[in-house]
């Protein structure tokens, strides 16, 4: 699996540098989206994975699920930080400001807060059994914010965030779409590999 | 029906027990009130009577309520945890009765907090309320969600080494879906702008979700 991931990553990096044309109206620097979108995707996947393993732990009391839930949260925290920093750079390039509490920025920041709270809770509880229980419950409680972040928040605030898919279809060059999808798959594979560590 | 009745009796008994304990030892309640008063007074003093935007005022009000609630609710299960009586309490009433008893006490404490701080806030910041019923409904609905999430969060932090700082860290992300619409509605209540009733529905729906989730998840603690 390591070899496949390494090869895929190398091909994607080469494609971004040599094959993908500058993004319409945004230029060469905006290619940071090939890093930003996959890391944001993995941050969300890790969030749901953590909650899934938390639910499995509460049902079975098998501590290996607690370990998986914690590992997914730790990886998710790293990916969400990478996504936030790359998103802020993209925001500066396109909107002229690193941060303006756009709904998407709010969503990613709430994810940082949830991951941070979850990891702080784990650090604050010393008893292994209690730690596993309370962190699983918090993981599942925090999932409740997802419908709000996805469906309600974007209605409350105006968004500058580019929406590549709208009613008229995908608004990107086909090369960009292909490389972006490959980058998302690559990032997901990296996450799966790190989960199996 | 009988089961429901006996569970209601347990809930009421827990509310009565906590109410009497709070009356006997008023420190937690006093700390919550004084925190809200100090925060409001310091913000009003530091802005020096400047004309503040309604959105900013609404945000200040909810930040004060949130952190004062944190000061009051963090120790919801401390008495039982310190005395080691939570298992005994669970023998008397089931886990659900304890949760809803504690939640009711938390809600009543927050209502008392808001009754105390809201008039002071409006006077100190010289805020004209255009829609008083909207403001009251928003505060009440917001407090329901805070009480529900706060009670479960307090149960989670009972065994934690750093309770005080941890509580607001855990509570804020899960109450954000209440916090943001509540700030918007509070802002509308300060202005002649049209009421967006869908935001009230959002808070109400999330209150229901938080109560239901707390009820399901508390059984695992």
């Amino acid at each position: 699996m390591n070899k496949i991931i390494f090869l895929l990553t190398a091909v994607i990096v080469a494609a971004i540098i040599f094959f993908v044309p500058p993004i319409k109206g945004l230029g060469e620097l905006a290619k940071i989206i090939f890093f930003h979108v996959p890391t944001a995707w993995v941050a969300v996947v890790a969030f749901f994975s953590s909650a899934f393993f938390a639910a499995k732990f509460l049902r079975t009391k098998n501590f290996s699920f607690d370990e998986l839930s914690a590992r997914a949260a730790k990886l998710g925290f790293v990916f969400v930080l990478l996504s936030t920093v790359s998103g802020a750079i993209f925001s500066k390039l396109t909107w002229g400001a690193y941060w303006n509490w756009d709904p998407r920025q709010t969503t990613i920041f709430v994810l940082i807060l949830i991951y941070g709270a979850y990891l702080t809770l784990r650090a604050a509880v010393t008893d292994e059994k209690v730690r596993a229980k309370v962190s699983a419950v918090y993981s599942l409680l925090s999932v409740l914010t997802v419908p709000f972040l996805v469906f309600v928040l974007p209605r409350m605030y105006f968004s500058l965030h580019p929406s590549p898919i709208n009613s008229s279809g995908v608004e990107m060059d086909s090369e960009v779409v292909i490389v972006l999808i490959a980058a998302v798959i690559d990032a997901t594979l990296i996450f799966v590999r790190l989960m199996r560590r | 029906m009988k089961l429901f009745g006996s569970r209601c009796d347990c809930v009421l008994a827990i509310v009565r027990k906590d109410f009497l304990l709070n009356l006997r030892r008023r420190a937690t309640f006093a700390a919550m009130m004084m925190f809200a008063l100090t925060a409001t007074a310091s913000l009003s003093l530091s802005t020096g009577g400047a004309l503040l935007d309604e959105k900013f005022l609404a945000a200040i009000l909810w930040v004060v309520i949130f952190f004062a609630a944190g000061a009051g609710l963090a120790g919801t299960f401390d008495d039982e945890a310190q005395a080691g009586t939570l298992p005994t309490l669970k023998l008397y009433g089931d886990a659900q009765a304890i949760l809803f008893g504690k939640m009711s006490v938390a809600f009543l404490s927050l209502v008392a907090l808001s009754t105390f701080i809201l008039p002071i806030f409006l006077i100190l910041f010289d805020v004209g309320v255009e829609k008083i019923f909207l403001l009251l409904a928003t505060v009440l609905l917001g407090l329901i969600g805070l009480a529900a999430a706060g009670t479960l969060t307090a149960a989670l932090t009972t065994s934690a080494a750093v309770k005080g700082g941890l509580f607001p860290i855990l509570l804020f992300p899960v109450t954000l879906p209440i916090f943001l619409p509540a700030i918007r509605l509070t802002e509308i209540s300060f202005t002649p702008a049209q009421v967006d009733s869908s935001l009230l529905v959002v808070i109400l729906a999330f209150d229901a979700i938080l109560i239901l989730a707390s009820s399901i998840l508390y059984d695992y603690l």
Side-chain angles (χ1 to χ4, degrees):
Chain A
M1 192 170 184
N2 285 354
K3 283 178 188 170
I4 296 170
I5 292 171
F6 185 78
L7 190 69
L8 185 60
T9 309
V11 170
I12 289 166
V13 170
I16 292 167
I17 297 170
F18 303 113
F19 176 63
V20 176
I23 294 170
K24 276 178 195 168
L26 298 178
E28 199 73 36
L29 284 169
K31 283 183 178 177
I32 199 166
I33 63 156
F34 293 105
F35 183 75
H36 170 64
V37 174
T39 48
W41 163 256
V42 173
V44 175
V45 168
F47 180 64
F48 283 111
S49 303
S50 181
F52 173 75
F53 290 122
K56 294 270 274 183
F57 167 76
L58 288 179
R59 260 184 49 199
T60 62
K61 302 291 175 201
N62 181 342
F63 281 85
S64 60
F65 289 124
D66 173 56
E67 278 172 35
L68 284 170
S69 179
R71 195 178 301 165
K74 283 174 194 165
L75 288 171
F77 191 55
V78 173
F79 276 94
V80 81
L81 288 178
L82 292 172
S83 172
T84 306
V85 172
S86 56
I89 294 168
F90 183 77
S91 167
K92 179 70 177 170
L93 290 172
T94 55
W95 313 331
Y98 287 108
W99 206 264
N100 69 348
W101 291 113
D102 181 272
R104 305 279 179 101
Q105 287 181 325
T106 307
T107 302
I108 209 81
F109 202 82
V110 173
L111 264 187
I112 293 180
L113 292 179
I114 290 172
Y115 277 132
Y118 174 87
L119 295 173
T120 311
L121 178 64
R122 287 191 76 88
V125 180
T126 46
D127 186 292
E128 195 186 338
K129 283 180 186 168
V130 178
R131 182 175 58 215
K133 260 193 312 189
V134 295
S135 46
V137 166
Y138 187 71
S139 181
L140 290 171
L141 183 66
S142 59
V143 165
L144 298 177
T145 56
V146 172
F148 173 79
L149 295 172
V150 175
F151 300 111
V152 182
L153 194 68
R155 281 189 58 229
M156 284 178 66
Y157 297 97
F158 171 73
S159 178
L160 284 169
H161 196 284
S163 183
I165 301 171
N166 57 28
S167 53
S168 57
V170 179
E171 272 188 3
M172 281 193 289
D173 292 335
S174 55
E175 300 96 319
V176 174
V177 176
I178 291 165
V179 176
L180 200 53
I181 290 170
V184 167
I185 292 169
D186 186 38
T188 312
L189 288 174
I190 292 171
F191 170 70
V192 172
R193 176 69 193 87
L194 291 172
M195 281 296 288
R196 285 181 170 183
R197 181 168 49 92
Chain B
M1 195 67 192
K2 196 178 175 185
L3 188 71
F4 179 75
S6 84
R7 191 172 273 180
C8 284
D9 288 345
C10 284
V11 171
L12 286 175
I14 288 161
V15 171
R16 190 168 171 274
K17 172 191 86 71
D18 276 14
F19 182 71
L20 288 174
L21 275 175
N22 285 339
L23 269 185
R24 204 177 298 160
R25 200 190 51 247
R26 289 177 279 267
T28 311
F29 197 64
M32 184 165 75
M33 297 295 187
M34 282 312 295
F35 183 96
L37 181 62
T38 310
T40 307
S42 61
L43 285 164
S44 175
L45 191 66
S46 55
T47 50
L51 205 60
L52 298 173
D53 180 43
E54 283 85 5
K55 188 172 191 171
F56 187 63
L57 287 166
I60 288 178
L61 175 65
W62 279 98
V63 167
V64 168
I65 290 176
F66 176 81
F67 282 100
L73 301 186
T76 301
F77 289 88
D78 276 5
D79 284 330
E80 289 82 1
Q82 279 163 12
T85 53
L86 201 55
T88 320
L89 198 61
K90 279 181 180 172
L91 281 178
Y92 164 70
D94 63 1
Q96 292 298 311
I98 296 170
L99 176 76
F100 283 100
K102 294 282 186 186
M103 210 183 272
S104 306
V105 174
F107 176 67
L108 293 174
S109 304
L110 293 178
V111 170
L113 166 76
S114 302
T115 310
F116 169 71
I117 203 63
L118 196 56
I120 294 174
F121 177 87
L122 296 176
I123 291 166
L124 288 183
F125 284 98
D126 194 21
V127 187
V129 181
E130 296 279 336
K131 303 173 191 79
I132 187 72
F133 290 112
L134 175 67
L135 178 63
L136 295 177
T138 305
V139 170
L140 273 179
L141 288 176
L143 296 185
I144 292 172
L146 266 182
T151 308
L152 186 67
T153 308
L156 296 178
T157 55
T158 306
S159 337
V162 278
K163 254 174 258 143
L166 188 61
F167 187 81
I169 294 172
L170 294 176
L171 187 62
F172 183 70
V174 291
T175 50
L176 201 68
I178 288 172
F179 211 59
L180 293 179
I183 290 173
R184 177 65 72 87
L185 284 167
T186 306
E187 179 197 349
I188 292 172
S189 77
F190 293 160
T191 64
Q194 208 179 353
V195 180
D196 184 357
S197 54
S198 67
L199 292 175
L200 277 171
V201 176
V202 169
I203 303 181
L204 195 63
F206 209 73
D207 281 347
I209 290 171
L210 279 176
I211 293 171
L212 187 68
S214 300
S215 169
I216 294 167
L217 293 171
Y218 186 73
D219 279 339
Y220 290 101
L221 290 174

